[in-house]
């Protein structure tokens, strides 16, 4: 199963942090996602990008998981020299993580 | 007032104001609020102001008002904008001049006092909001701007004094939208649940089209009419009913999916979204999709506002130099990688004082970097090398494109599309802090001036 079939996501910056929300389409996929997408799993995934701690805030009411990836943008969007200096595409990257973990 | 309709003006400096003009032309709102200031925007406006002391506000303010003010006054729509940026006084003066030129009678309010750059000594140690570290002298020396995120109260005062247009500097994004609700409904400043509801209205509208189907991560290809996307309108009643909608026949889409996506956007902890006016808890939010691009929002809770304001200082933190060069199949990626290596060798030979070198391959990994899938790398149709450096020396930054240009002939084959050269950008470091509320509030001024036609 591919995650983008069961959820979507949006991400952006706040200072040096990337803020990512993942939204499940159904209660069932929300349950699966919340088991799989722990803060630690997300931290491991984004580690190659050079990051600090990851916080996870589940919002079951909205079938959503919120992740805050700390110190992720080389000091912030205005200081970063990356093409994606605001972490706008980290949402897309995270969708791919779950896809790989769920298997084909 | 029994019912208040608020329209979104712009979601950032550079956004289109045409959808807002349409809301104004149709008289579909009582207030239209323009959110112009992202973290980076004040750095841009500071550069403007250093060249011309009469500038420092957003350049789209006057064209927008020139196009929209006559209809706004005719339809009794009041305009609130933090477009004043680093120079709300000059912005207010320009607006009054524009009104005279157009022969319009109105009251223009200017809210200022958020800019504390000149008063920084009285706010020291200006400790970093997260690390607690005192503001280092070498950061202070390079400060470009320092502004406090004000709340809604100065705007409420301006509205109470009859302002038709309110120009502010750094007011927190959602506070721009909360203000007309506090003013119109007479909400108390400790009515936390209502303040939270009004703040959520502001949060949903502050990024304009991001709640009407723009940048929608879900079934994005099913959102029709992005070529004429409508901006959101909040319809709020005195008994706290909130409906997020948009103009009929405008493009885009409003659904529970687009609303929850914006509701959680950039707020960090959903149980404690901190604003200058209230701490908002959206975790119990209920979104009811009423159909026809109408979503009802309820279940928002609020808690006491924080004792201190957030302030943000931006400082010069070096330069970015960059260049881009494209390569076609065969071996597109290998050729671009070879060029990266050539550039690195040349930079080392010149002893360029670079602190960071970043090579990205557009079409392969420029956005996801090390997380990009390697599956397709051997057979890319084309790829661009983007090579960027961070350096404290502007001239070193300018060297990057100069080194890259000759490689169109003297590097790997099929190089083409040499673009993005000579774009040196000043980098801005950010230093967030917390400052005492009363120390700032006593600096805040609300001045209302009348223009007679």
């Amino acid at each position: 199963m591919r995650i983008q079939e069961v959820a979507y996501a949006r991400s952006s910056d706040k200072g040096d942090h990337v803020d990512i929300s993942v939204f499940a389409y159904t209660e069932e996929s929300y349950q699966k996602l919340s088991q799989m997408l722990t803060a630690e799993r997300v931290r491991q995934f984004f580690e190659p990008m050079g990051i600090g701690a990851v916080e996870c805030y589940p919002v079951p009411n909205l079938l959503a998981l919120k992740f805050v990836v700390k110190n992720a943008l080389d000091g912030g969007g205005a200081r970063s020299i990356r093409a994606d200096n605001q972490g706008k595409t980290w949402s897309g990257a995270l969708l791919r993580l779950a896809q790989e973990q769920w298997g084909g | 007032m029994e019912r208040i309709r608020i329209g979104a003006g712009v979601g950032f400096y550079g956004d289109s104001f045409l959808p807002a003009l349409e809301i104004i032309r149709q008289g579909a709102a009582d207030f239209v609020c323009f959110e112009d200031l992202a973290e980076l925007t004040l750095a841009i406006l500071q550069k403007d102001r250093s060249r011309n002391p009469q500038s420092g506000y957003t350049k789209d303010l006057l064209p927008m008002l020139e196009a929209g003010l006559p209809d706004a006054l005719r339809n009794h729509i009041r305009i609130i904008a933090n477009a004043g940026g680093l120079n709300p006084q000059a912005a207010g003066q320009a607006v009054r001049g524009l009104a005279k030129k157009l022969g319009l009678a109105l009251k223009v309010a200017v809210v200022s006092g958020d800019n504390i750059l000149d008063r920084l000594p009285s706010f020291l140690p200006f400790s970093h909001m997260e690390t607690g570290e005192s503001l280092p002298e070498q950061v202070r020396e390079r400060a470009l701007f320092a502004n406090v995120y004000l709340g809604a109260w100065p705007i409420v005062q301006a509205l109470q004094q009859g302002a038709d247009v309110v120009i502010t500097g750094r007011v927190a994004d959602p506070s721009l939208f909360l203000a007309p609700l506090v003013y119109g409904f007479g909400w108390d400043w400790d009515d936390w649940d209502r303040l939270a509801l009004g703040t959520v209205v502001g949060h949903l509208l502050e990024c304009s089209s991001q709640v009407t189907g723009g940048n929608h991560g879900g079934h994005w290809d099913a959102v029709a009419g992005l070529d004429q996307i409508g901006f959101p309108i909040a319809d709020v009643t005195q008994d706290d009913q909130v409906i997020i909608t948009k103009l009929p026949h405008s493009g885009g889409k409003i659904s529970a999916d687009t609303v929850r996506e914006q509701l959680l956007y950039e707020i960090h902890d959903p149980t404690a979204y901190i604003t200058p006016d209230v701490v908002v808890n959206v975790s119990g939010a209920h979104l009811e999709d009423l159909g026809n691009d109408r979503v009802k929002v309820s279940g928002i809770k609020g808690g006491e506002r924080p004792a201190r304001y957030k302030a943000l200082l931006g400082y010069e933190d070096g330069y970015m130099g960059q260049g881009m060069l494209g390569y076609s199949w065969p071996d597109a990626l290998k050729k671009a990688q070879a060029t990266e290596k050539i550039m690195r060798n040349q930079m080392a030979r010149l002893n360029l004082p670079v602190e960071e070198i970043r090579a990205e391959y557009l079409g392969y990994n420029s956005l996801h970097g090390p997380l990009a899938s390697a599956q397709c790398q051997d057979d890319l149709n084309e790829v661009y090398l983007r090579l960027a450096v961070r350096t404290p020396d502007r001239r070193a930054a300018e060297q990057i494109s100069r080194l890259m240009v000759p490689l169109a002939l003297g590097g790997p084959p099929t190089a083409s599309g040499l673009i993005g050269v000579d774009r040196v950008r000043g980098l801005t470091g950010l230093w967030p802090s917390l400052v005492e509320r009363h120390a700032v509030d006593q600096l805040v001024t609300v001045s209302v001036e009348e223009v007679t036609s």
Side-chain angles (χ1 to χ4, degrees):
Chain A
M1 180 150 49
R2 296 164 66 97
I3 187 170
Q4 62 264 51
E5 291 167 23
V6 300
Y8 63 98
R10 176 183 279 178
S11 61
S12 191
D13 63 318
K14 186 73 87 180
D16 195 21
H17 313 312
V18 177
D19 182 305
I20 310 171
S21 309
V22 181
F23 301 92
Y25 288 117
T26 66
E27 177 74 40
E28 188 192 350
S29 39
Y30 175 72
Q31 295 303 337
K32 274 191 191 171
L33 280 174
S34 12
Q35 284 169 18
M36 177 180 315
L37 285 180
T38 61
E40 177 54 20
R41 185 68 190 89
V42 170
R43 193 197 61 75
Q44 285 171 8
F45 177 70
F46 283 114
E47 203 165 24
M49 301 290 264
I51 59 162
V54 173
E55 296 166 357
C56 173
Y57 302 96
V59 192
N61 222 36
L62 299 172
L63 304 184
L65 295 169
K66 157 79 73 188
F67 297 95
V68 179
V69 186
K70 299 275 199 169
N71 304 113
L73 293 173
D74 299 334
R79 185 182 180 276
S80 167
I81 63 171
R82 304 178 190 185
D84 184 15
N85 62 330
Q86 293 181 291
K88 297 276 182 187
T89 70
W90 287 39
S91 50
L94 189 59
L95 294 181
R96 179 174 263 173
L97 152 80
Q99 174 196 330
E100 285 167 359
Q101 204 182 36
W102 283 12
Chain B
M1 299 171 83
E2 290 178 1
R3 175 187 180 213
I4 296 174
R5 298 161 306 158
I6 305 177
V10 294
F12 66 101
Y13 184 22
D15 203 358
S16 169
F17 56 72
L18 299 180
L21 291 183
E22 193 56 25
I23 292 172
I24 291 170
R25 193 183 66 77
Q26 295 191 27
D30 305 296
F31 300 86
V32 177
C33 305
F34 292 75
E35 202 296 285
D36 281 276
L37 304 179
E39 285 176 343
L40 188 55
T41 315
L42 290 179
I44 295 166
L45 296 177
Q46 169 57 30
K47 278 168 201 156
D48 290 349
R49 198 180 177 183
S50 65
R51 288 184 211 113
N52 172 8
Q54 279 308 300
S55 65
Y57 57 91
T58 69
K59 289 172 183 162
D60 56 356
L61 177 66
L62 293 185
M64 182 280 289
L65 288 178
E66 180 148 16
L69 253 188
D71 283 336
L73 292 173
R74 188 177 311 119
N75 292 327
H76 308 289
I77 297 171
R78 299 161 82 173
I79 288 172
I80 299 166
N82 61 6
L86 287 174
N87 204 349
Q89 302 294 355
Q93 196 181 348
V95 172
R96 293 194 299 272
L98 174 72
K100 280 201 182 110
K101 187 182 101 179
L102 298 176
L104 301 171
L106 82 170
K107 284 184 178 174
V108 180
V110 173
V111 173
S112 60
D114 59 297
N115 183 347
I116 57 167
L117 185 61
D118 294 338
R119 297 173 189 268
L120 215 48
S122 65
F123 289 97
L124 295 177
F126 206 71
S127 307
H128 194 284
M129 193 172 85
E130 285 157 15
T131 65
E133 188 192 344
S134 299
L135 183 70
E137 186 55 35
Q138 62 269 32
V139 170
R140 199 178 134 195
E141 283 166 359
R142 289 182 285 150
L144 293 165
F145 63 86
N147 292 69
V148 178
Y149 287 75
L150 299 179
W153 74 260
I155 301 175
V156 173
Q157 278 197 4
L159 294 172
Q160 284 166 344
Q161 293 175 53
D164 299 290
V165 177
V166 184
I167 304 294
T168 79
R170 178 73 275 184
V171 168
D173 307 355
S175 305
L176 299 168
F177 301 78
L178 171 63
L181 296 171
V182 171
Y183 159 75
F185 293 138
W187 287 349
D188 291 326
W189 287 113
D190 59 356
D191 191 347
W192 306 120
D193 285 350
R194 284 204 172 89
L195 295 176
L197 185 67
T199 298
V200 162
V201 165
H203 179 64
L204 290 174
L205 267 56
E206 73 183 55
C207 292
S208 69
S209 50
Q210 268 208 146
V211 75
T212 56
N215 193 20
H216 179 43
H219 301 295
W220 62 271
D221 48 351
V223 179
L226 291 180
D227 55 307
Q228 48 177 355
I229 193 163
F231 280 6
I233 298 166
D235 193 334
V236 187
T237 61
Q238 198 171 25
D239 60 354
D240 308 329
Q241 289 212 49
V242 171
I243 290 172
I244 305 298
T245 186
K246 63 184 183 71
L247 288 178
H249 311 301
S250 63
K253 176 184 184 171
I254 296 180
S255 67
D257 274 347
T258 71
V259 172
R260 65 175 172 157
E261 192 175 24
Q262 181 59 23
L263 182 61
L264 293 191
Y265 182 68
E266 285 185 346
I267 66 168
H268 288 8
D269 182 352
T271 65
Y273 167 38
I274 300 168
T275 78
D277 304 298
V278 60
V279 176
V280 182
N281 181 349
V282 304
S283 67
H286 183 66
L287 306 176
E288 188 183 348
D289 199 331
L290 306 174
N292 294 322
D293 298 309
R294 290 163 61 83
V295 171
K296 190 174 162 188
V297 181
S298 59
I300 307 298
K301 296 286 177 195
E304 186 168 353
R305 71 176 65 90
R308 290 180 292 175
Y309 284 124
K310 179 180 170 183
L312 186 66
L313 179 147
Y315 59 97
E316 283 179 8
D317 200 9
Y319 299 90
M320 176 174 75
Q322 62 176 331
M324 294 213 299
L325 190 55
Y327 293 91
S328 82
W329 194 92
D331 299 324
L333 184 61
K334 275 186 193 159
K335 289 186 279 196
Q337 284 168 333
T339 296
E340 177 195 342
K341 198 166 178 194
I342 293 167
M343 293 281 293
R344 283 180 182 272
N345 288 342
Q346 292 185 336
M347 283 189 283
R349 205 167 290 138
L350 290 170
N351 264 326
L352 287 188
V354 293
E355 293 171 348
E356 182 188 352
I357 302 173
R358 191 171 177 90
E360 297 173 335
Y361 297 93
L362 280 75
Y364 172 56
N365 73 354
S366 72
L367 299 174
H368 284 169
L371 303 178
S373 165
Q375 278 172 11
C376 57
Q377 65 174 7
D378 291 333
D379 202 35
L380 292 169
N381 289 313
E382 61 190 47
V383 76
Y384 272 80
L385 166 68
R386 168 181 180 263
L387 193 126
V389 304
R390 173 198 309 283
T391 167
D393 180 353
R394 186 178 185 101
R395 279 168 303 183
E398 287 163 355
Q399 281 291 317
I400 302 310
S401 55
R402 287 192 202 126
L403 288 177
M404 186 169 268
V405 169
L407 297 179
L409 297 183
T414 71
S416 191
L418 184 65
I419 54 176
V421 297
D422 280 327
R423 287 182 53 223
V424 172
R425 189 195 299 165
L427 298 171
T428 306
L430 298 176
W431 186 277
S433 185
L434 297 171
V435 294
E436 292 305 324
R437 185 176 282 269
H438 65 87
V440 174
D441 281 348
Q442 63 192 16
L443 301 174
V444 173
T445 61
V446 180
S447 63
V448 182
E449 288 195 38
E450 190 159 7
V451 179
T452 50
S453 57

